[in-house]
Amino acid sequence: MDAFDENLDGFYDVENQLPRYLRKRATDHFDAERAHKETIRTVGGHERHVENVREAFLDGLGGLPDDRTPLNARTTGTLERDGYSIEKVVFESLPEFHVTGNLYQPAGEGPFPAVLFLCGHTANGKAAAGYQRACIELARNGFVALSIDPIGQGERIQSYDPETGDVDRLSVIEHTYLGQQCAVAGTNLARYFVWDMIRALDYLEGRSDVDDSRLGATGNSGGGMQTGFLMLVDDRLDAAVPCCFVTSREEYMKTGQAQDGEQIVYRAIERGLNYDDFVSSFAPKPVLVGSAQSDFLCIEGSRKSVERARSVYELYDRSENVDLEVAERTHGLTPPLREAMVNWFREHLRGVDPTFETGDPPVEDEADLLCTDAGQVHGEYPDETHVVDRNRAYVQDRYDAAGRVPSVEDTEAYANSIRETVIDELSLSKPRQELHPRRIETDIDEAAGVRWEKVFFYSEPDIVVAGILARSLERPKRSLPTVVLPDHGTDDFDECKDRIAALARERGAAMAFDPRGVGAVQARDVNTPLANGGTYFDYHGTEYKLGSDALMLGTSLFGMRVYDVLRAREYLSHRVEDADAFALEGIGAGALHALYAAAAEPQFRSIRLEELPYSFHEVATNREFEIDFRLRVHGLVGVCDVPQLLPALADRDVVWDGIDPNRFR
């Protein structure tokens, strides 16, 4: 018996089922969102909607820090230029969490209106040439412009090693790496992005040369995202220009593109939080959406979102305060968008004619804009904290001893409680549909003493899962049907074939199993190297993209796969008469699937775990971990993480093969 060939040996086309399933779930939410928004016909109704959207957004971020601690702002240098100067600014958005920025100050007497400029995903952050030119042109048009480095960019690279100067990750890679850490803790990297922006406005408000009654924000790409987020959460802004960000979730899902860690807001699709909400929440204040006709952030989504926002502005009789500028370009803060941005602020923050024409001002060398002598905050400040330090504090504030096994007196009651929690957190309580099982190939292997079968069946409507089942040719000593979860499912069948046969001879039946998106039922590769990154399992690859969609739907591929394992037990119960106990064996990612399935189903009496990668607490609180996008979940730390599951299995036969469970104690 060999492993499955493509599309279950030609019996069933599985390549599109998982993307199609996620798209269908998303479409149901999009339809509900659209129907709800069509009922909003008054200012009061809209403002109630904005409160709900803001609450959903902040909840998806895990809330914001509680205290505005001292900024301890200082200027580390100044560059004098023709018509403006550049101050090199550092402040602390949180204690020992430094934000580096360049403040472009116009010549002449203030106070001036101010614009917070937010950088997109460039490795050098505020020093990127296009971003420098935008700030120079703002300053020459009478605005204070503050450009700050986002986390992972410019002088704020979190993986920077001050001893060697090495950088392991930066920009989108670092954002997604840190995003995985934040998600399992129940927060989002954007929590810190948003807080940095709020504190940047605090800094601007405190400057004597800034008129704090005229504040704006703008940015491109990831900076456009930050602008949209700030528009929703901070009402101090008086005008905004988000560029190359606004599209619609529905249109964007059709592209197959992935997004970075801070852009994946938990339950955003489920709760109806869409791109147009960032724009319409700003009503009736003036906002210009900048877009590119040939952007990967599709223009049709931009147009739909602005059209929806305009209907909200009409409730305020301010339809002229929202507009769309489309550059006949690809993604980027191109000269047409720079010009439109400056003119929007001229009109709405200075009250002068929008007659500015963009140029090509010379820019500074990156080294000349550095705010730190070391070039990195983690090299400059000995006590500088890391995002993971913030995550660790976040976890400790919310969950006592989250990384350790709790002391349990009544193990049965505790096991029942954990079972309910796992079922709830992983959305395992779903109506069971008919399995409709198929056996598509049978092979009697006399030498191995088993009959092999290739099987597949339905776990949910339109979701087929598969396995290679071995049945003993002789009556076994005991009946204990076993589900085996190799790290990559039946793609690893050659390595585990002998093991499956031995288990079948001993226990009657054993099956190497593929939950959805694994092994023989893996989705087609929607990744494109230019846009999304590396291979199927790499940063921004297919596994990551589909897992992101699931998180925005309020669930996870991890939880779906645990559900499929429960269905595999049901399948074996139909195939093996009088079986009242079952076994699970998992390797790598399969070990975590096995652990959670066992916690959810008491009939799994024997569990063997090999190469268990980590607990989610270890991901959330360790600076370095081996990232695996198959294990993306939200908020299991301290709730039903590996340490919390262990006492719930006290009455089971659990074998930790090559794993020291004491690491959780």
Side-chain angles (χ1 to χ4, degrees):
M1 177 68 65
D2 296 322
F4 285 99
D5 201 350
E6 290 185 5
N7 287 316
L8 299 179
D9 294 347
F11 274 78
Y12 199 92
D13 182 1
V14 295
E15 284 193 333
N16 294 310
Q17 66 169 0
L18 186 51
R20 187 169 55 235
Y21 171 86
L22 293 168
R23 181 87 58 83
K24 171 62 170 62
R25 288 188 59 166
T27 298
D28 291 343
H29 290 299
F30 294 144
D31 290 344
E33 173 202 335
R34 190 178 303 110
H36 166 68
K37 288 177 177 176
E38 287 173 354
T39 68
I40 300 173
R41 296 188 173 92
T42 65
V43 168
H46 167 66
E47 291 179 351
R48 286 190 295 273
H49 171 73
V50 171
E51 285 304 310
N52 291 334
V53 165
R54 184 179 294 116
E55 180 182 354
F57 176 71
L58 291 174
D59 183 63
L61 301 193
L64 295 176
D66 297 325
D67 300 321
R68 278 179 157 90
T69 51
L71 288 169
N72 297 325
R74 63 193 184 98
T75 298
T76 63
T78 302
L79 303 176
E80 297 293 342
R81 297 294 181 260
D82 182 20
Y84 65 96
S85 61
I86 306 172
E87 290 186 27
K88 306 173 188 182
V89 173
V90 182
F91 63 85
E92 296 176 54
S93 63
L94 292 163
E96 302 297 341
F97 197 65
H98 291 84
V99 178
T100 46
N102 294 148
L103 184 133
Y104 295 73
Q105 185 184 50
E109 296 293 326
F112 305 99
V115 175
L116 178 60
F117 187 89
L118 301 160
C119 300
H121 293 110
T122 55
N124 57 352
K126 63 187 181 304
Y131 300 160
Q132 288 191 54
R133 290 191 175 98
C135 292
I136 292 168
E137 292 183 332
L138 283 167
R140 286 177 170 172
N141 278 272
F143 300 94
V144 168
L146 174 61
S147 177
I148 60 173
D149 282 326
I151 292 166
Q153 298 168 239
E155 297 178 73
R156 302 184 67 202
I157 298 172
Q158 300 292 289
S159 66
Y160 173 79
D161 186 332
E163 294 184 1
T164 65
D166 292 341
V167 172
D168 290 333
R169 299 167 294 273
L170 53 76
S171 191
V172 296
I173 300 300
E174 180 150 287
H175 292 172
T176 298
Y177 178 90
L178 296 172
Q180 183 104 329
Q181 290 188 307
C182 292
V184 299
T187 180
N188 187 300
L189 182 61
R191 177 178 195 255
Y192 306 109
F193 277 68
V194 169
W195 193 245
D196 288 345
M197 292 187 286
I198 289 172
R199 301 315 312 278
L201 289 184
D202 291 346
Y203 170 75
L204 286 171
E205 280 189 322
R207 288 184 61 104
S208 61
D209 58 349
V210 167
D211 178 354
D212 62 11
S213 69
R214 294 183 290 166
L215 297 176
T218 188
N220 177 74
S221 189
M225 173 207 71
Q226 294 173 67
T227 305
F229 288 179
L230 190 62
M231 289 162 62
L232 178 60
V233 302
D234 199 316
D235 61 10
R236 290 177 292 178
L237 289 181
D238 301 292
V241 185
C243 294
C244 291
F245 162 67
V246 174
T247 179
S248 78
R249 296 198 190 282
E250 187 169 14
E251 297 303 322
Y252 195 63
M253 278 193 77
K254 295 175 184 177
T255 69
Q257 296 284 335
Q259 296 174 309
D260 309 310
E262 74 276 15
Q263 296 173 293
I264 309 303
V265 178
Y266 183 57
R267 298 181 65 190
I269 295 175
E270 179 194 23
R271 288 172 158 174
L273 172 59
N274 215 323
Y275 289 82
D276 65 89
D277 290 302
F278 297 112
V279 181
S280 61
S281 69
F282 205 58
K285 293 184 285 189
V287 56
L288 174 69
V289 173
S291 295
Q293 180 65 33
S294 300
D295 204 331
F296 53 81
L297 292 157
C298 42
I299 187 63
E300 58 270 30
S302 308
R303 295 187 186 281
K304 288 181 180 179
S305 289
V306 171
E307 180 182 355
R308 162 63 197 156
R310 184 168 284 115
S311 71
V312 171
Y313 274 75
E314 288 172 352
L315 299 177
Y316 293 87
D317 294 324
R318 292 289 186 274
S319 59
E320 72 279 5
N321 274 4
V322 61
D323 206 354
L324 174 67
E325 178 72 21
V326 180
E328 294 293 333
R329 306 289 183 93
T330 56
H331 186 81
L333 191 59
T334 53
L337 293 185
R338 285 209 318 267
E339 180 174 295
M341 176 267 292
V342 172
N343 277 321
W344 190 261
F345 288 131
R346 280 174 59 92
E347 181 178 3
H348 294 285
L349 290 184
R350 290 192 58 209
V352 299
D353 290 340
T355 56
F356 167 71
E357 294 183 4
T358 190
D360 190 27
V363 299
E364 308 294 331
D365 290 339
E366 183 175 341
D368 293 334
L369 295 176
L370 292 175
C371 304
T372 60
D373 291 336
Q376 290 292 329
V377 293
H378 282 283
E380 186 80 1
Y381 304 105
D383 297 324
E384 182 72 5
T385 57
H386 188 284
V387 167
V388 74
D389 300 320
R390 298 294 162 188
N391 285 341
R392 193 179 297 121
Y394 180 90
V395 168
Q396 290 172 349
D397 287 346
R398 286 156 180 77
Y399 310 110
D400 183 37
R404 297 195 297 274
V405 176
S407 177
V408 174
E409 294 183 3
D410 187 339
T411 56
E412 182 177 358
Y414 181 81
N416 289 334
S417 173
I418 283 293
R419 177 173 182 265
E420 293 174 2
T421 301
V422 169
I423 289 172
D424 182 58
E425 290 291 328
L426 298 186
S427 305
L428 304 180
S429 180
K430 304 176 186 178
R432 265 43 171 183
Q433 82 142 52
E434 289 292 327
L435 294 169
H436 299 299
R438 273 84 145 174
R439 279 180 277 177
I440 61 175
E441 183 180 344
T442 300
D443 179 21
I444 295 178
D445 186 344
E446 296 284 357
V450 298
R451 181 175 70 249
W452 295 104
E453 299 176 0
K454 287 183 177 177
V455 304
F456 66 90
F457 53 90
Y458 283 90
S459 181
E460 287 189 77
D462 300 319
I463 289 292
V464 165
V465 292
I468 300 179
L469 175 67
R471 300 290 302 271
S472 177
L473 296 178
E474 298 181 0
R475 187 177 183 86
K477 296 179 181 178
R478 59 171 176 161
S479 178
L480 188 66
T482 301
V483 179
V484 179
L485 305 170
D487 191 32
H488 288 281
T490 58
D491 282 354
D492 296 341
F493 181 67
D494 288 346
E495 289 78 18
C496 66
K497 183 175 182 179
D498 292 344
R499 173 183 186 157
I500 301 292
L503 287 170
R505 291 192 299 271
E506 176 188 349
R507 301 174 179 180
M511 178 171 66
F513 180 62
D514 287 328
R516 72 190 74 189
V518 176
V521 291
Q522 181 173 302
R524 69 179 178 87
D525 196 346
V526 300
N527 172 67
T528 54
L530 177 62
N532 287 350
T535 63
Y536 190 98
F537 295 103
D538 202 354
Y539 283 89
H540 304 105
T542 301
E543 178 72 22
Y544 171 82
K545 182 266 187 292
L546 298 177
S548 297
D549 292 345
L551 287 176
M552 289 191 289
L553 286 164
T555 182
S556 65
L557 293 187
F558 179 83
M560 293 177 190
R561 288 163 180 162
V562 172
Y563 176 84
D564 294 339
V565 175
L566 302 181
R567 295 290 275 162
R569 185 207 63 80
E570 294 176 40
Y571 171 79
L572 286 181
S573 72
H574 289 292
R575 295 297 312 278
V576 180
E577 295 180 2
D578 301 325
D580 57 4
F582 298 82
L584 262 176
E585 299 199 1
I587 307 163
L592 270 176
H593 293 140
L595 186 61
Y596 279 83
E601 176 50 70
Q603 282 198 315
F604 284 122
R605 303 306 303 171
S606 175
I607 302 102
R608 186 183 191 92
L609 307 172
E610 301 177 24
E611 302 173 23
L612 187 78
Y614 37 60
S615 70
F616 294 109
H617 181 271
E618 290 172 312
V619 173
T621 59
N622 284 307
R623 190 163 297 187
E624 296 294 327
F625 70 99
E626 191 70 31
I627 199 163
D628 188 336
F629 294 118
R630 297 173 297 172
L631 306 177
R632 299 186 73 205
V633 294
H634 183 89
L636 295 192
V637 172
V639 178
C640 57
D641 196 0
V642 174
Q644 287 79 53
L645 264 54
L646 298 188
L649 303 177
D651 66 336
R652 319 282 185 92
D653 177 17
V654 181
V655 175
W656 299 79
D657 192 341
I659 305 164
D660 181 8
N662 289 319
R663 82 188 205 213
F664 307 119
R665 300 186 186 277

mmCIF file with all atom_site columns, all heavy atoms in Angstrom, residues 404-420:
data_model
loop_
_atom_site.group_PDB
_atom_site.id
_atom_site.type_symbol
_atom_site.label_atom_id
_atom_site.label_alt_id
_atom_site.label_comp_id
_atom_site.label_asym_id
_atom_site.label_entity_id
_atom_site.label_seq_id
_atom_site.pdbx_PDB_ins_code
_atom_site.Cartn_x
_atom_site.Cartn_y
_atom_site.Cartn_z
_atom_site.occupancy
_atom_site.B_iso_or_equiv
_atom_site.pdbx_formal_charge
_atom_site.auth_seq_id
_atom_site.auth_comp_id
_atom_site.auth_asym_id
_atom_site.auth_atom_id
_atom_site.pdbx_PDB_model_num
ATOM 1   N N   . ARG A 1 404 ? 2.158   26.755 34.134 1.00 0.00 ? 404 ARG A N   1
ATOM 2   C CA  . ARG A 1 404 ? 2.419   25.592 34.981 1.00 0.00 ? 404 ARG A CA  1
ATOM 3   C C   . ARG A 1 404 ? 1.156   24.751 35.155 1.00 0.00 ? 404 ARG A C   1
ATOM 4   O O   . ARG A 1 404 ? 0.031   25.238 35.030 1.00 0.00 ? 404 ARG A O   1
ATOM 5   C CB  . ARG A 1 404 ? 2.933   26.043 36.352 1.00 0.00 ? 404 ARG A CB  1
ATOM 6   C CG  . ARG A 1 404 ? 4.259   26.787 36.279 1.00 0.00 ? 404 ARG A CG  1
ATOM 7   C CD  . ARG A 1 404 ? 4.903   26.893 37.655 1.00 0.00 ? 404 ARG A CD  1
ATOM 8   N NE  . ARG A 1 404 ? 4.099   27.649 38.583 1.00 0.00 ? 404 ARG A NE  1
ATOM 9   C CZ  . ARG A 1 404 ? 4.154   28.984 38.699 1.00 0.00 ? 404 ARG A CZ  1
ATOM 10  N NH1 . ARG A 1 404 ? 4.958   29.669 37.926 1.00 0.00 ? 404 ARG A NH1 1
ATOM 11  N NH2 . ARG A 1 404 ? 3.414   29.613 39.588 1.00 0.00 ? 404 ARG A NH2 1
ATOM 12  N N   . VAL A 1 405 ? 1.365   23.501 35.477 1.00 0.00 ? 405 VAL A N   1
ATOM 13  C CA  . VAL A 1 405 ? 0.247   22.583 35.715 1.00 0.00 ? 405 VAL A CA  1
ATOM 14  C C   . VAL A 1 405 ? -0.453  22.974 37.019 1.00 0.00 ? 405 VAL A C   1
ATOM 15  O O   . VAL A 1 405 ? 0.193   23.107 38.056 1.00 0.00 ? 405 VAL A O   1
ATOM 16  C CB  . VAL A 1 405 ? 0.751   21.134 35.801 1.00 0.00 ? 405 VAL A CB  1
ATOM 17  C CG1 . VAL A 1 405 ? -0.397  20.196 36.138 1.00 0.00 ? 405 VAL A CG1 1
ATOM 18  C CG2 . VAL A 1 405 ? 1.404   20.721 34.487 1.00 0.00 ? 405 VAL A CG2 1
ATOM 19  N N   . PRO A 1 406 ? -1.760  23.192 36.984 1.00 0.00 ? 406 PRO A N   1
ATOM 20  C CA  . PRO A 1 406 ? -2.453  23.583 38.210 1.00 0.00 ? 406 PRO A CA  1
ATOM 21  C C   . PRO A 1 406 ? -2.593  22.414 39.182 1.00 0.00 ? 406 PRO A C   1
ATOM 22  O O   . PRO A 1 406 ? -2.583  21.245 38.790 1.00 0.00 ? 406 PRO A O   1
ATOM 23  C CB  . PRO A 1 406 ? -3.826  24.036 37.696 1.00 0.00 ? 406 PRO A CB  1
ATOM 24  C CG  . PRO A 1 406 ? -4.021  23.285 36.415 1.00 0.00 ? 406 PRO A CG  1
ATOM 25  C CD  . PRO A 1 406 ? -2.653  23.151 35.811 1.00 0.00 ? 406 PRO A CD  1
ATOM 26  N N   . SER A 1 407 ? -2.717  22.749 40.447 1.00 0.00 ? 407 SER A N   1
ATOM 27  C CA  . SER A 1 407 ? -2.980  21.742 41.474 1.00 0.00 ? 407 SER A CA  1
ATOM 28  C C   . SER A 1 407 ? -4.469  21.436 41.473 1.00 0.00 ? 407 SER A C   1
ATOM 29  O O   . SER A 1 407 ? -5.303  22.342 41.547 1.00 0.00 ? 407 SER A O   1
ATOM 30  C CB  . SER A 1 407 ? -2.548  22.271 42.844 1.00 0.00 ? 407 SER A CB  1
ATOM 31  O OG  . SER A 1 407 ? -2.864  21.341 43.850 1.00 0.00 ? 407 SER A OG  1
ATOM 32  N N   . VAL A 1 408 ? -4.803  20.155 41.370 1.00 0.00 ? 408 VAL A N   1
ATOM 33  C CA  . VAL A 1 408 ? -6.203  19.750 41.226 1.00 0.00 ? 408 VAL A CA  1
ATOM 34  C C   . VAL A 1 408 ? -6.553  18.716 42.291 1.00 0.00 ? 408 VAL A C   1
ATOM 35  O O   . VAL A 1 408 ? -5.832  17.736 42.481 1.00 0.00 ? 408 VAL A O   1
ATOM 36  C CB  . VAL A 1 408 ? -6.449  19.153 39.813 1.00 0.00 ? 408 VAL A CB  1
ATOM 37  C CG1 . VAL A 1 408 ? -7.853  18.598 39.707 1.00 0.00 ? 408 VAL A CG1 1
ATOM 38  C CG2 . VAL A 1 408 ? -6.195  20.205 38.750 1.00 0.00 ? 408 VAL A CG2 1
ATOM 39  N N   . GLU A 1 409 ? -7.647  18.951 43.005 1.00 0.00 ? 409 GLU A N   1
ATOM 40  C CA  . GLU A 1 409 ? -8.103  17.984 44.010 1.00 0.00 ? 409 GLU A CA  1
ATOM 41  C C   . GLU A 1 409 ? -9.119  17.016 43.426 1.00 0.00 ? 409 GLU A C   1
ATOM 42  O O   . GLU A 1 409 ? -8.998  15.805 43.579 1.00 0.00 ? 409 GLU A O   1
ATOM 43  C CB  . GLU A 1 409 ? -8.697  18.738 45.205 1.00 0.00 ? 409 GLU A CB  1
ATOM 44  C CG  . GLU A 1 409 ? -7.665  19.567 45.973 1.00 0.00 ? 409 GLU A CG  1
ATOM 45  C CD  . GLU A 1 409 ? -8.267  20.244 47.182 1.00 0.00 ? 409 GLU A CD  1
ATOM 46  O OE1 . GLU A 1 409 ? -9.469  20.031 47.449 1.00 0.00 ? 409 GLU A OE1 1
ATOM 47  O OE2 . GLU A 1 409 ? -7.539  20.994 47.859 1.00 0.00 ? 409 GLU A OE2 1
ATOM 48  N N   . ASP A 1 410 ? -10.131 17.531 42.765 1.00 0.00 ? 410 ASP A N   1
ATOM 49  C CA  . ASP A 1 410 ? -11.172 16.685 42.177 1.00 0.00 ? 410 ASP A CA  1
ATOM 50  C C   . ASP A 1 410 ? -10.877 16.545 40.682 1.00 0.00 ? 410 ASP A C   1
ATOM 51  O O   . ASP A 1 410 ? -11.285 17.369 39.866 1.00 0.00 ? 410 ASP A O   1
ATOM 52  C CB  . ASP A 1 410 ? -12.542 17.320 42.401 1.00 0.00 ? 410 ASP A CB  1
ATOM 53  C CG  . ASP A 1 410 ? -13.686 16.414 41.966 1.00 0.00 ? 410 ASP A CG  1
ATOM 54  O OD1 . ASP A 1 410 ? -13.442 15.499 41.149 1.00 0.00 ? 410 ASP A OD1 1
ATOM 55  O OD2 . ASP A 1 410 ? -14.819 16.622 42.430 1.00 0.00 ? 410 ASP A OD2 1
ATOM 56  N N   . THR A 1 411 ? -10.149 15.486 40.325 1.00 0.00 ? 411 THR A N   1
ATOM 57  C CA  . THR A 1 411 ? -9.701  15.342 38.936 1.00 0.00 ? 411 THR A CA  1
ATOM 58  C C   . THR A 1 411 ? -10.861 15.111 37.972 1.00 0.00 ? 411 THR A C   1
ATOM 59  O O   . THR A 1 411 ? -10.818 15.578 36.832 1.00 0.00 ? 411 THR A O   1
ATOM 60  C CB  . THR A 1 411 ? -8.699  14.181 38.809 1.00 0.00 ? 411 THR A CB  1
ATOM 61  O OG1 . THR A 1 411 ? -9.293  12.990 39.311 1.00 0.00 ? 411 THR A OG1 1
ATOM 62  C CG2 . THR A 1 411 ? -7.426  14.489 39.587 1.00 0.00 ? 411 THR A CG2 1
ATOM 63  N N   . GLU A 1 412 ? -11.889 14.423 38.403 1.00 0.00 ? 412 GLU A N   1
ATOM 64  C CA  . GLU A 1 412 ? -13.014 14.165 37.505 1.00 0.00 ? 412 GLU A CA  1
ATOM 65  C C   . GLU A 1 412 ? -13.741 15.456 37.165 1.00 0.00 ? 412 GLU A C   1
ATOM 66  O O   . GLU A 1 412 ? -14.056 15.722 35.995 1.00 0.00 ? 412 GLU A O   1
ATOM 67  C CB  . GLU A 1 412 ? -13.987 13.174 38.133 1.00 0.00 ? 412 GLU A CB  1
ATOM 68  C CG  . GLU A 1 412 ? -15.160 12.835 37.217 1.00 0.00 ? 412 GLU A CG  1
ATOM 69  C CD  . GLU A 1 412 ? -16.104 11.793 37.822 1.00 0.00 ? 412 GLU A CD  1
ATOM 70  O OE1 . GLU A 1 412 ? -15.818 11.308 38.938 1.00 0.00 ? 412 GLU A OE1 1
ATOM 71  O OE2 . GLU A 1 412 ? -17.114 11.487 37.172 1.00 0.00 ? 412 GLU A OE2 1
ATOM 72  N N   . ALA A 1 413 ? -14.010 16.268 38.186 1.00 0.00 ? 413 ALA A N   1
ATOM 73  C CA  . ALA A 1 413 ? -14.680 17.544 37.942 1.00 0.00 ? 413 ALA A CA  1
ATOM 74  C C   . ALA A 1 413 ? -13.813 18.450 37.081 1.00 0.00 ? 413 ALA A C   1
ATOM 75  O O   . ALA A 1 413 ? -14.306 19.148 36.187 1.00 0.00 ? 413 ALA A O   1
ATOM 76  C CB  . ALA A 1 413 ? -15.014 18.220 39.274 1.00 0.00 ? 413 ALA A CB  1
ATOM 77  N N   . TYR A 1 414 ? -12.504 18.426 37.344 1.00 0.00 ? 414 TYR A N   1
ATOM 78  C CA  . TYR A 1 414 ? -11.594 19.265 36.565 1.00 0.00 ? 414 TYR A CA  1
ATOM 79  C C   . TYR A 1 414 ? -11.568 18.806 35.107 1.00 0.00 ? 414 TYR A C   1
ATOM 80  O O   . TYR A 1 414 ? -11.601 19.632 34.181 1.00 0.00 ? 414 TYR A O   1
ATOM 81  C CB  . TYR A 1 414 ? -10.189 19.211 37.158 1.00 0.00 ? 414 TYR A CB  1
ATOM 82  C CG  . TYR A 1 414 ? -9.199  20.070 36.413 1.00 0.00 ? 414 TYR A CG  1
ATOM 83  C CD1 . TYR A 1 414 ? -9.120  21.435 36.653 1.00 0.00 ? 414 TYR A CD1 1
ATOM 84  C CD2 . TYR A 1 414 ? -8.351  19.516 35.446 1.00 0.00 ? 414 TYR A CD2 1
ATOM 85  C CE1 . TYR A 1 414 ? -8.221  22.231 35.951 1.00 0.00 ? 414 TYR A CE1 1
ATOM 86  C CE2 . TYR A 1 414 ? -7.451  20.311 34.749 1.00 0.00 ? 414 TYR A CE2 1
ATOM 87  C CZ  . TYR A 1 414 ? -7.388  21.664 35.014 1.00 0.00 ? 414 TYR A CZ  1
ATOM 88  O OH  . TYR A 1 414 ? -6.504  22.449 34.319 1.00 0.00 ? 414 TYR A OH  1
ATOM 89  N N   . ALA A 1 415 ? -11.508 17.495 34.890 1.00 0.00 ? 415 ALA A N   1
ATOM 90  C CA  . ALA A 1 415 ? -11.481 16.965 33.524 1.00 0.00 ? 415 ALA A CA  1
ATOM 91  C C   . ALA A 1 415 ? -12.741 17.369 32.765 1.00 0.00 ? 415 ALA A C   1
ATOM 92  O O   . ALA A 1 415 ? -12.681 17.731 31.585 1.00 0.00 ? 415 ALA A O   1
ATOM 93  C CB  . ALA A 1 415 ? -11.334 15.447 33.549 1.00 0.00 ? 415 ALA A CB  1
ATOM 94  N N   . ASN A 1 416 ? -13.883 17.329 33.433 1.00 0.00 ? 416 ASN A N   1
ATOM 95  C CA  . ASN A 1 416 ? -15.135 17.734 32.782 1.00 0.00 ? 416 ASN A CA  1
ATOM 96  C C   . ASN A 1 416 ? -15.118 19.223 32.443 1.00 0.00 ? 416 ASN A C   1
ATOM 97  O O   . ASN A 1 416 ? -15.593 19.636 31.379 1.00 0.00 ? 416 ASN A O   1
ATOM 98  C CB  . ASN A 1 416 ? -16.324 17.412 33.682 1.00 0.00 ? 416 ASN A CB  1
ATOM 99  C CG  . ASN A 1 416 ? -16.597 15.922 33.776 1.00 0.00 ? 416 ASN A CG  1
ATOM 100 O OD1 . ASN A 1 416 ? -16.253 15.163 32.861 1.00 0.00 ? 416 ASN A OD1 1
ATOM 101 N ND2 . ASN A 1 416 ? -17.200 15.485 34.864 1.00 0.00 ? 416 ASN A ND2 1
ATOM 102 N N   . SER A 1 417 ? -14.572 20.016 33.361 1.00 0.00 ? 417 SER A N   1
ATOM 103 C CA  . SER A 1 417 ? -14.504 21.453 33.124 1.00 0.00 ? 417 SER A CA  1
ATOM 104 C C   . SER A 1 417 ? -13.586 21.769 31.950 1.00 0.00 ? 417 SER A C   1
ATOM 105 O O   . SER A 1 417 ? -13.923 22.586 31.077 1.00 0.00 ? 417 SER A O   1
ATOM 106 C CB  . SER A 1 417 ? -14.008 22.164 34.386 1.00 0.00 ? 417 SER A CB  1
ATOM 107 O OG  . SER A 1 417 ? -13.785 23.530 34.139 1.00 0.00 ? 417 SER A OG  1
ATOM 108 N N   . ILE A 1 418 ? -12.407 21.137 31.913 1.00 0.00 ? 418 ILE A N   1
ATOM 109 C CA  . ILE A 1 418 ? -11.475 21.364 30.805 1.00 0.00 ? 418 ILE A CA  1
ATOM 110 C C   . ILE A 1 418 ? -12.084 20.881 29.494 1.00 0.00 ? 418 ILE A C   1
ATOM 111 O O   . ILE A 1 418 ? -11.925 21.525 28.448 1.00 0.00 ? 418 ILE A O   1
ATOM 112 C CB  . ILE A 1 418 ? -10.130 20.665 31.074 1.00 0.00 ? 418 ILE A CB  1
ATOM 113 C CG1 . ILE A 1 418 ? -9.317  21.478 32.075 1.00 0.00 ? 418 ILE A CG1 1
ATOM 114 C CG2 . ILE A 1 418 ? -9.329  20.471 29.803 1.00 0.00 ? 418 ILE A CG2 1
ATOM 115 C CD1 . ILE A 1 418 ? -8.846  22.827 31.554 1.00 0.00 ? 418 ILE A CD1 1
ATOM 116 N N   . ARG A 1 419 ? -12.775 19.756 29.548 1.00 0.00 ? 419 ARG A N   1
ATOM 117 C CA  . ARG A 1 419 ? -13.412 19.252 28.330 1.00 0.00 ? 419 ARG A CA  1
ATOM 118 C C   . ARG A 1 419 ? -14.372 20.301 27.767 1.00 0.00 ? 419 ARG A C   1
ATOM 119 O O   . ARG A 1 419 ? -14.355 20.593 26.568 1.00 0.00 ? 419 ARG A O   1
ATOM 120 C CB  . ARG A 1 419 ? -14.165 17.958 28.640 1.00 0.00 ? 419 ARG A CB  1
ATOM 121 C CG  . ARG A 1 419 ? -14.923 17.379 27.448 1.00 0.00 ? 419 ARG A CG  1
ATOM 122 C CD  . ARG A 1 419 ? -15.504 16.003 27.788 1.00 0.00 ? 419 ARG A CD  1
ATOM 123 N NE  . ARG A 1 419 ? -16.188 15.440 26.645 1.00 0.00 ? 419 ARG A NE  1
ATOM 124 C CZ  . ARG A 1 419 ? -17.501 15.543 26.418 1.00 0.00 ? 419 ARG A CZ  1
ATOM 125 N NH1 . ARG A 1 419 ? -18.274 16.190 27.284 1.00 0.00 ? 419 ARG A NH1 1
ATOM 126 N NH2 . ARG A 1 419 ? -18.038 15.010 25.338 1.00 0.00 ? 419 ARG A NH2 1
ATOM 127 N N   . GLU A 1 420 ? -15.198 20.898 28.606 1.00 0.00 ? 420 GLU A N   1
ATOM 128 C CA  . GLU A 1 420 ? -16.131 21.922 28.152 1.00 0.00 ? 420 GLU A CA  1
ATOM 129 C C   . GLU A 1 420 ? -15.388 23.143 27.604 1.00 0.00 ? 420 GLU A C   1
ATOM 130 O O   . GLU A 1 420 ? -15.803 23.740 26.604 1.00 0.00 ? 420 GLU A O   1
ATOM 131 C CB  . GLU A 1 420 ? -17.056 22.331 29.298 1.00 0.00 ? 420 GLU A CB  1
ATOM 132 C CG  . GLU A 1 420 ? -18.014 21.232 29.733 1.00 0.00 ? 420 GLU A CG  1
ATOM 133 C CD  . GLU A 1 420 ? -18.828 21.618 30.962 1.00 0.00 ? 420 GLU A CD  1
ATOM 134 O OE1 . GLU A 1 420 ? -18.662 22.773 31.436 1.00 0.00 ? 420 GLU A OE1 1
ATOM 135 O OE2 . GLU A 1 420 ? -19.620 20.793 31.439 1.00 0.00 ? 420 GLU A OE2 1
#
